[in-house]
Amino acid sequence: MITWNNLDTLASYKELFNLEKVDLKEAMSGENGAERVKKYSIPMAEGLSYNFAAKQVDDKLLEALAKLAEEAQLTEKFEALYNGEVINTGEKRRVLHHLTRGQLGNAVEADGADKRDFYTEQQRKIAAFAEKVHAGEITNAAGEKFTTVVQIGIGGSDLGPRAMYLALENWAKKKGLFKMEAKFISNVDPDDAAAVLASIDVAHSVFILVSKSGTTLETLTNESFVKDALANAGLDPSKHMVAVTSETSPLAKSDDYLAAFFMDDYIGGRYSSTSAVGGAVLSLAFGPEVFAQFLDGAAAADKTAADKDIRKNPAMLDALIGVYERNVLGYPSTAVLPYSQALSRFPAHLQQLDMESNGKSVNRFGEPVEYVTGPLIFGEPGTNGQHSFYQLLHQGTDIVPLQFIGFRKNQMDTDVVIQGSTSQQKLCANVAAQIMAFACGKADDNRNKNFEGGRPSSIIIGDQLTPGALGALLAHFENKVMFQGFLWNVNSFDQEGVQLGKVLAKRVLAHETDGALKVYSDLLDI
């Protein structure tokens, strides 16, 4: 029987405070450090590995974290989730994004349908549509092939798919699998849509409108922007538009769209990259086979997340260490630092995934919690970040845990040798050096040049960023966030915090304001 208890009621959590804290500087120095790097690494899906040697952990802590995982019933709660129990208590819904990439447990029946069949049917429909577009069977009114796809959506309808597209764009070009350029319109700021439209040939562009409800204000506003541009070019918008929406939305059976692909209420926006939300744009950009490889990588990571042994479950271990850092060591934030330019928008996606999921101050029953929950997430690719905010990470007053991501090979398989090493070797040298610099620091009598060290990090290492590796990476973080939500006993699958601003914005636009809100409205000339 599963019980949902607050973190601070668990005996194994309280025991964490009695353990001696690891001296990271000492642990990572000399031969001790070399042995730790070899010892504290576990395999992930798709050839990735999770190395946590530079975290403040030892064998005693790992044993204690395993007890916490068992007492918190993390494996059982994940099993309940993928078997279709109502885990989203705020909205009284199932949580089914894992089903978009595989069947981990029992068949899940909902809305009179087998949900796995529902998701795979949408994938088949998207694949068939994409193949017809690529073959020139679906064209513009002049019979010419579409060359660009533009996704219109905001939040999870933009951040995840955009990050995934950018992650695979150069890989697909190198492999000869690049089919169509993808662009994204998300911000209701008219400059966003105007800039994208100015950069494309609208006559040869197909637009994907993503809105589950069919009522998202920013998305519908941008759709109107696009339709005006198409009409002004003498084009029929209905011959250039595709909808990704729910079966019950007003968009589902509209003649305004070439095709409609469906999602449902059981997949939150930030978890939707492996659904039709990501599937349509990625299949058009790279082909259905590449999207299928991406799904396979995510499915493989999901399987490891179901393992009860934390030494074989990188997502669960990553989550447990993160909760230890947040709740016992008191670190308020986490930086995600991919040493891969292809992952330039991956930290932005993880900001939404993590902060929208676990940025909660009440538990899943609506009762206030008396401990901190989700951390602040930020990040940029290395080495750019080194010349930006690493100063604070190295010598600032706050200790910020770091999550590095690195690959042995670049995606383009091209490089140049400068001063005896390649660019990729320089990149990898930087990430290795940063891990050790953060952990061990450097003593100096000049206090400005003194580095205290003791700043923890982990690294996910892979051979090359491929579709499978990307899928595994995405699922790792989705599952990590899920496990942390279970530990904090919060509902990671609703997002009421985004609603109040929307309600007030509608009041402003309807001129139903008073007090300070009216003054701000007047200042902005609304």
Side-chain angles (χ1 to χ4, degrees), residues 195-212:
V196 171
L197 290 168
S199 71
I200 62 173
D201 176 2
V202 293
H204 297 89
S205 299
V206 60
F207 297 84
I208 304 172
L209 181 78
V210 184
S211 176
K212 186 185 300 182

Side-chain angles (χ1 to χ4, degrees), residues 49 60 217-218 414:
S49 63
K60 288 183 179 179
L217 180 62
E218 295 97 331
T414 56

Side-chain angles (χ1 to χ4, degrees), residues 246-263:
S246 68
E247 289 182 293
T248 57
S249 92
L251 311 180
K253 294 180 175 59
S254 171
D255 293 333
D256 290 341
Y257 305 97
L258 279 167
F261 308 115
F262 299 130
M263 51 179 167

Side-chain angles (χ1 to χ4, degrees), residues 9 39-40 49 112 125 165 233 244 246 276 320 338 364 413 415 428 435 442 478 480 523:
T9 68
K39 178 181 180 181
Y40 288 147
S49 63
K125 286 173 58 181
Y165 169 78
V244 175
S246 68
L320 287 159
R364 55 191 297 105
D413 297 323
D415 211 336
C428 291
I435 292 170
K442 179 181 74 73
E478 289 181 347
K480 174 191 174 181
L523 285 171

Side-chain angles (χ1 to χ4, degrees), residues 436-516:
M436 292 305 296
F438 280 116
C440 297
K442 179 181 74 73
D444 198 301
D445 290 337
N446 181 339
R447 298 301 297 170
N448 284 328
K449 297 182 179 181
N450 186 70
F451 292 75
E452 292 293 338
R455 302 192 176 219
S457 68
S458 63
I459 182 168
I460 294 173
I461 301 173
D463 193 47
Q464 188 179 51
L465 184 57
T466 62
L470 180 65
L473 194 63
L474 174 73
H476 171 86
F477 283 100
E478 289 181 347
N479 292 324
K480 174 191 174 181
V481 167
M482 172 193 68
F483 284 130
Q484 290 188 327
F486 289 160
L487 286 161
W488 286 315
N489 200 29
V490 299
N491 178 13
S492 301
F493 305 105
D494 67 3
Q495 55 284 330
E496 294 300 325
V498 305
Q499 301 303 323
L500 178 58
K502 292 181 179 180
V503 172
L504 292 179
K506 288 180 179 178
R507 281 177 49 190
V508 170
L509 292 172
H511 301 289
E512 296 171 355
T513 58
D514 55 19

Side-chain angles (χ1 to χ4, degrees), residues 63-338:
E63 290 175 11
L65 292 178
K67 290 180 182 177
L68 177 60
E70 184 176 1
E71 186 179 2
Q73 298 177 293
L74 296 187
T75 301
E76 292 83 356
K77 288 171 181 174
F78 183 30
E79 186 175 356
L81 183 150
Y82 63 67
N83 280 326
E85 293 189 24
V86 176
I87 300 297
N88 179 351
T89 50
E91 297 171 315
K92 297 180 175 58
R93 293 173 181 165
R94 297 170 175 84
V95 177
L96 302 181
H97 55 277
H98 298 87
L99 275 182
T100 62
R101 60 242 193 177
Q103 186 87 47
L104 283 174
N106 302 327
V108 177
E109 298 284 337
D111 306 328
D114 181 307
K115 296 309 294 184
R116 173 70 178 144
D117 287 347
F118 172 78
Y119 299 136
T120 54
E121 173 61 21
Q122 297 311 307
Q123 290 163 11
R124 284 192 291 269
K125 286 173 58 181
I126 289 168
F129 180 84
E131 287 168 351
K132 288 180 180 179
V133 169
H134 299 153
E137 296 175 33
I138 296 176
T139 65
N140 66 9
E144 299 162 335
K145 293 178 73 169
F146 291 115
T147 57
T148 304
V149 53
V150 181
Q151 180 125 319
I152 308 168
I154 197 165
S157 300
D158 167 70
L159 287 165
R162 188 194 295 248
M164 302 308 119
Y165 169 78
L166 292 174
L168 296 177
E169 181 180 19
N170 285 332
W171 176 90
K173 288 177 178 176
K174 180 65 178 179
K175 298 294 183 181
L177 297 170
F178 188 77
K179 309 292 185 181
M180 301 172 69
E181 183 181 25
K183 300 276 190 174
F184 297 84
I185 298 173
S186 59
N187 201 329
V188 75
D189 182 343
D191 285 346
D192 187 16
V196 171
L197 290 168
S199 71
I200 62 173
D201 176 2
V202 293
H204 297 89
S205 299
V206 60
F207 297 84
I208 304 172
L209 181 78
V210 184
S211 176
K212 186 185 300 182
S213 65
T215 61
T216 309
L217 180 62
E218 295 97 331
T219 301
L220 294 183
T221 299
N222 280 327
E223 180 191 30
S224 295
F225 208 114
V226 167
K227 284 184 173 179
D228 283 351
L230 288 165
N232 291 338
L235 303 167
D236 179 356
S238 69
K239 302 300 183 184
H240 290 258
M241 304 287 296
V242 173
V244 175
T245 189
S246 68
E247 289 182 293
T248 57
S249 92
L251 311 180
K253 294 180 175 59
S254 171
D255 293 333
D256 290 341
Y257 305 97
L258 279 167
F261 308 115
F262 299 130
M263 51 179 167
D264 58 34
D265 287 333
Y266 307 120
I267 300 176
R270 57 197 176 278
Y271 296 96
S272 66
S273 291
T274 53
S275 75
V277 174
V281 64
L282 296 178
S283 295
L284 283 166
F286 309 129
E289 298 83 2
V290 171
F291 183 64
Q293 293 169 30
F294 170 66
L295 295 182
D296 288 344
D302 289 340
K303 289 177 183 176
T304 67
D307 200 302
K308 203 174 183 72
D309 184 350
I310 67 170
R311 295 291 195 116
K312 298 177 182 178
N313 189 331
M316 187 184 292
L317 179 57
D318 197 0
L320 287 159
I321 293 173
V323 168
Y324 174 72
E325 290 174 332
R326 183 78 174 105
N327 294 85
V328 179
L329 301 181
Y331 302 149
S333 57
T334 297
V336 180
L337 308 169

